[in-house]
Amino acid sequence: MKPFLRHQLERYAQRLEELDFLLSREDIMADMDQFLKLSREHAEVSALTKRYARYLERSSDLEAAHAMLETSSEDIDMQAMAHEEIQSASQEMSELEAELQRMLLPKDPDDARPAFLEIRAGTGGDESALFAGDLLRMYTKFFERKGWRAEIMSESASELGGYKEVVIRIKGDNVFGTMRFESGGHRVQRVPTTETQGRIHTSACTVAVLAEPDEAQAVTINPADLRIDTYRASGAGGQHINKTDSAVRITHIPTGIVAECQDDRSQHRNKAKAMQVLSARIQEKDRSERAAKDAALRKGLIGSGDRSDRIRTYNFPQGRLTDHRINLTLYKLSFIMEGDLEEVTQALQHARQAEQLADLESSLPS
């Protein structure tokens, strides 16, 4: 194990002793907010120190097995036992070290939040809108595999099928943490259904993933800064939807950020949904600005998730998906388009963890 990891883990052992003392104090127990905050920290630190204690235990076992190997050169059974223990301890120590590294990494509290997924057609006209529909289908199937729930917040369908723009809300376990690296430009190379000459065309869509703000920490929006417009919803919905101004568009005047919703027949519910999306977009603007400042200091492998970043290419003639940020190429595009995204999302998360670990190591005094 690297010295800097041992240093960090030993500090957590000291912190556990501090937390045990603090949680025994009457003034802390009387302050429920403080008590709950320290209790949550205690649970996290305790889990980490238990895994480190197990690592140290197996390290002692490994040393004992090596000693047994040296002193039992003529005892075949003891030699075999020592070799077996060395293999077992070494494997468990390797697994524990990887687990401890992940546990030490800084956690983004938004990772556990629900998220909004926005898909917008870009260059490529009708083909781009059709690809936006394909991306929505791919993501929806992935959500089903994960056991997540998704609902459409707003949509703007294109004439030939697909979408000019669609926004959905996803709720489930660690949604934003899993989906955050999907933000950016998605390029498709294929023969469009509208192409009569069989030529391959290139078009693109942009995807943005926004964490749903925690109500307790959401940005405060001054009602005076909002312009709220109502209009008649377009698309399917029968006579009722055409008779009432149920669709809502909200503009945040200081930033120019707009959110709209026409999915529900109730204007009140559409307004509430649009406000959710607007709040998420304003928060994401703040997050993006912070990420841009960080990128100016150090260009991250994963990038800032800016829509202008071309992050991925879907090449249908070759059955190939390439994620340009981590040089990942998979020749299983047909499966991926059916929602088999696990390998891609995990590779991106592992790359991010490697970045964080490098940052953690460089931040410690030598």
Side-chain angles (χ1 to χ4, degrees):
M1 181 181 287
K2 293 181 179 180
F4 89 93
L5 283 175
R6 285 187 182 274
H7 175 69
Q8 289 289 97
L9 291 164
E10 286 162 6
R11 285 175 56 189
Y12 274 96
Q14 294 171 2
R15 178 59 178 165
L16 186 61
E17 292 180 5
E18 294 172 3
L19 290 168
D20 284 334
F21 169 72
L22 289 170
L23 288 170
S24 69
R25 283 172 37 177
E26 291 186 5
D27 59 327
I28 296 293
M29 287 189 280
D31 184 342
M32 187 53 65
D33 288 340
Q34 183 78 344
F35 182 77
L36 289 174
K37 180 181 176 182
L38 290 173
S39 295
R40 285 192 291 268
E41 185 184 355
H42 186 278
E44 292 178 5
V45 174
S46 179
L48 198 149
T49 52
K50 282 181 182 177
R51 303 311 289 154
Y52 184 46
R54 177 61 178 170
Y55 178 89
L56 293 177
E57 180 185 335
R58 296 304 277 150
S59 179
S60 296
D61 293 342
L62 184 62
E63 288 181 13
H66 278 296
M68 183 190 300
L69 199 61
E70 292 175 4
T71 58
S72 59
S73 57
E74 296 180 2
D75 189 328
I76 296 175
D77 290 339
M78 291 291 283
Q79 288 264 311
M81 189 184 302
H83 280 297
E84 186 177 333
E85 180 65 5
I86 287 170
Q87 182 178 355
S88 172
S90 297
Q91 181 177 341
E92 187 174 352
M93 286 175 66
S94 178
E95 292 170 356
L96 284 166
E97 183 173 352
E99 185 181 355
L100 286 165
Q101 284 182 5
R102 287 194 297 271
M103 294 174 78
L104 279 172
L105 296 177
K107 295 175 179 61
D108 187 333
D110 283 341
D111 280 354
R113 302 288 305 161
F116 296 103
L117 174 74
E118 303 178 354
I119 306 172
R120 286 196 177 94
T123 55
D126 291 333
E127 167 62 7
S128 177
L130 291 171
F131 181 53
D134 292 338
L135 286 178
L136 177 63
R137 180 175 178 274
M138 175 188 76
Y139 285 129
T140 301
K141 286 185 170 291
F142 178 61
F143 304 154
E144 290 172 358
R145 288 171 180 243
K146 302 285 286 184
W148 296 347
R149 296 194 305 276
E151 66 169 317
I152 291 181
M153 304 294 285
S154 67
E155 59 182 315
S156 175
S158 66
E159 294 178 2
L160 295 180
Y163 296 93
K164 298 174 185 176
E165 177 181 331
V166 60
V167 180
I168 62 174
R169 178 180 183 264
I170 319 131
K171 188 174 183 179
D173 182 35
N174 200 47
V175 170
F176 183 67
T178 303
M179 295 298 296
R180 63 189 302 165
F181 304 120
E182 293 303 300
S183 292
H186 294 240
R187 183 176 68 169
V188 61
Q189 296 171 328
R190 64 182 178 186
V191 178
T193 54
T194 54
E195 169 60 54
T196 57
Q197 303 296 320
R199 292 172 296 188
I200 296 172
H201 287 228
T202 298
S203 56
C205 292
T206 57
V207 172
V209 181
L210 323 174
E212 180 179 272
D214 184 341
E215 290 184 6
Q217 299 176 344
V219 291
T220 302
I221 300 174
N222 186 345
D225 290 337
L226 300 178
R227 184 175 72 244
I228 301 175
D229 302 306
T230 58
Y231 56 98
R232 290 187 181 179
S234 59
Q239 294 180 346
H240 172 88
I241 204 166
N242 292 322
K243 286 183 177 179
T244 60
D245 292 341
S246 60
V248 176
R249 180 185 297 111
I250 305 176
T251 304
H252 185 243
I253 297 169
T255 61
I257 294 173
V258 178
E260 55 189 355
C261 185
Q262 61 174 19
D263 194 55
D264 202 293
R265 290 188 173 188
S266 162
Q267 184 185 112
H268 177 74
R269 286 193 291 270
N270 279 334
K271 181 181 176 182
K273 287 182 177 181
M275 279 299 296
Q276 279 186 301
V277 176
L278 184 73
S279 181
R281 286 177 176 168
I282 293 172
Q283 179 174 282
E284 180 61 24
K285 181 176 181 293
D286 293 340
R287 179 194 291 273
S288 297
E289 288 173 355
R290 290 195 304 271
K293 290 179 181 177
D294 292 341
L297 298 174
R298 183 189 62 82
K299 177 61 178 175
L301 178 69
I302 303 300
S304 64
D306 190 276
R307 291 172 192 255
S308 62
D309 292 340
R310 191 193 73 190
I311 64 166
R312 193 174 295 158
T313 295
Y314 303 72
N315 186 301
F316 278 78
Q318 297 178 15
R320 168 176 59 82
L321 177 139
T322 300
D323 195 292
H324 305 290
R325 297 165 292 181
I326 55 174
N327 295 322
L328 174 70
T329 297
L330 300 172
Y331 287 91
K332 48 184 276 187
L333 184 57
S334 60
F335 295 100
I336 289 169
M337 297 308 294
E338 291 297 319
D340 186 5
L341 268 174
E342 196 71 35
E343 188 173 353
V344 180
T345 57
Q346 285 188 355
L348 288 162
Q349 286 174 318
H350 291 159
R352 175 57 178 157
Q353 288 169 359
E355 278 188 354
Q356 289 178 305
L357 196 63
D359 287 347
L360 182 63
E361 186 171 3
S362 65
S363 68
L364 294 174
S366 56

